[in-house]
């Protein structure tokens, strides 16, 4: 299957700093990428849908000024956690879909990024 | 709106025993259904999916699932569990509305395989 690479796989940062997480589709172009957050022993919660060349669509309750998403190319989307606090510590996972018409039949996931804010 | 219910947050089976992980969905439109597996500190790997056609879907690692519209279910099964099957399993539903279709996940079922 297609490969989605997420970097870094883990990061520790100080409270108040910003952290950028990259999500790349390595062997296909993804017009749409998704960012999820997963708390320990819980399911994945969709944070936002990242659209190449346009603004991301955020889910209700997700602060768009805190979680900045940029989808500048068909193979790269970034999530920046700004002014991170300990409560932002979580596992962040991205996924990408194929372009139409096959795009809605499968999503490929990155390996996730564990963020710890101290 | 769509939703997924996974009955049983934790399932334990003996090695070689049948694995049955339950998933029920709610959707106002014909759904696409997925099962994903997640190993600790890793992303999700697709096990199998139902889009259209045959309702019994076979996936990787010997898993299969059957789409039952009348029961709004998509239960995951494997005839004989292996130690390597121990992981978290997520059922997900999507509508058929294009590339921006969102996946809605269930709360997950942790499968434990014992000797």
């Amino acid at each position: 299957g297609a490969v989605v690479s997420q970097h870094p796989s883990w990061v520790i940062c100080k409270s108040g700093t910003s952290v950028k997480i990259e999500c790349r589709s390595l062997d296909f172009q993804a017009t749409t990428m998704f960012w999820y957050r997963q708390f320990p022993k819980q399911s994945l919660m969709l944070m936002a849908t990242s659209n190449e060349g346009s603004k991301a669509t955020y889910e209700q309750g997700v602060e768009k000024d805190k979680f900045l998403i940029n989808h500048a190319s068909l193979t790269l989307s970034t999530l920046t956690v700004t002014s991170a606090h300990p409560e932002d510590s979580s596992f962040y996972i991205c996924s990408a879909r194929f372009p139409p018409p096959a795009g809605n039949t499968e999503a490929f996931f990155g390996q996730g990024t564990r963020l710890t804010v101290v | 709106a769509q939703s997924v219910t996974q009955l049983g947050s934790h399932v334990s089976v003996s090695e070689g025993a049948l694995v049955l992980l339950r998933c029920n969905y709610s959707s106002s439109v014909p759904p696409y259904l997925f099962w994903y597996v997640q190993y600790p500190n890793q992303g999700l790997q697709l096990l199998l999916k139902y889009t259209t056609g045959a309702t019994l879907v076979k996936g990787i690692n010997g898993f299969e699932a059957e789409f039952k519209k009348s029961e709004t279910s998509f239960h995951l099964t494997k005839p004989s569990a292996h130690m390597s099957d121990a992981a978290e399993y997520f059922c997900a539903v999507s509508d058929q509305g294009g590339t921006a279709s969102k996946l809605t996940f269930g709360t997950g079922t942790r499968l434990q395989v014992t000797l």
Side-chain angles (χ1 to χ4, degrees):
Chain A
V3 177
V4 174
S5 177
Q6 200 171 329
H7 178 81
S9 56
W10 62 270
V11 59
I12 301 173
C13 71
K14 291 184 178 181
S15 186
T17 61
S18 296
V19 174
K20 179 183 286 188
I21 303 170
E22 294 186 346
C23 180
R24 294 180 184 272
S25 55
L26 296 186
D27 49 1
F28 67 102
Q29 293 182 330
T31 52
T32 304
M33 291 185 176
F34 302 86
W35 287 96
Y36 296 85
R37 183 173 182 176
Q38 185 181 31
F39 289 103
K41 299 184 180 180
Q42 294 188 29
S43 189
L44 282 75
M45 300 301 297
L46 180 65
M47 299 175 65
T49 302
S50 171
N51 303 295
E52 189 270 334
S54 64
K55 291 183 178 181
T57 303
Y58 289 82
E59 295 299 300
Q60 191 174 8
V62 177
E63 299 177 61
K64 57 184 67 179
D65 293 332
K66 180 168 187 62
F67 299 100
L68 301 179
I69 292 173
N70 184 279
H71 194 158
S73 78
L74 287 172
T75 60
L76 174 65
S77 175
T78 60
L79 168 68
T80 302
V81 183
T82 63
S83 187
H85 288 91
E87 57 265 30
D88 298 325
S89 299
S90 189
F91 195 57
Y92 293 87
I93 306 176
C94 71
S95 74
R97 289 182 180 262
F98 286 132
N104 58 340
T105 61
E106 186 170 348
F108 300 95
F109 286 80
Q111 67 269 44
T113 297
R114 179 156 305 282
L115 170 63
T116 302
V117 185
V118 298
Chain B
Q2 298 175 304
S3 66
V4 174
T5 301
Q6 288 184 243
L7 292 176
S9 60
H10 184 246
V11 170
S12 182
V13 301
S14 300
E15 189 174 35
L18 171 72
V19 175
L20 170 61
L21 305 183
R22 299 180 185 275
C23 172
N24 287 89
Y25 70 91
S26 173
S27 177
S28 58
V29 297
Y32 284 175
L33 294 160
F34 307 81
W35 275 101
Y36 286 90
V37 61
Q38 184 183 34
Y39 297 98
N41 292 313
Q42 294 187 27
L44 276 67
Q45 180 182 8
L46 181 68
L47 279 178
L48 48 79
K49 62 183 178 183
Y50 168 80
T51 54
T52 58
T55 56
L56 181 62
V57 180
K58 295 185 183 298
I60 63 171
N61 301 337
F63 285 94
E64 62 182 39
E66 186 171 11
F67 170 59
K68 292 186 176 180
K69 184 178 179 180
S70 61
E71 299 178 7
T72 60
S73 68
F74 191 57
H75 302 328
L76 181 71
T77 61
K78 181 174 180 178
S80 177
H82 191 272
M83 295 297 288
S84 61
D85 295 326
E88 188 86 20
Y89 291 81
F90 292 96
C91 181
V93 63
S94 164
D95 63 32
Q96 302 176 23
T99 57
S101 298
K102 304 172 187 177
L103 279 171
T104 300
F105 286 89
T107 50
T109 298
R110 181 167 298 278
L111 176 64
Q112 181 182 19
V113 182
T114 59
L115 290 173

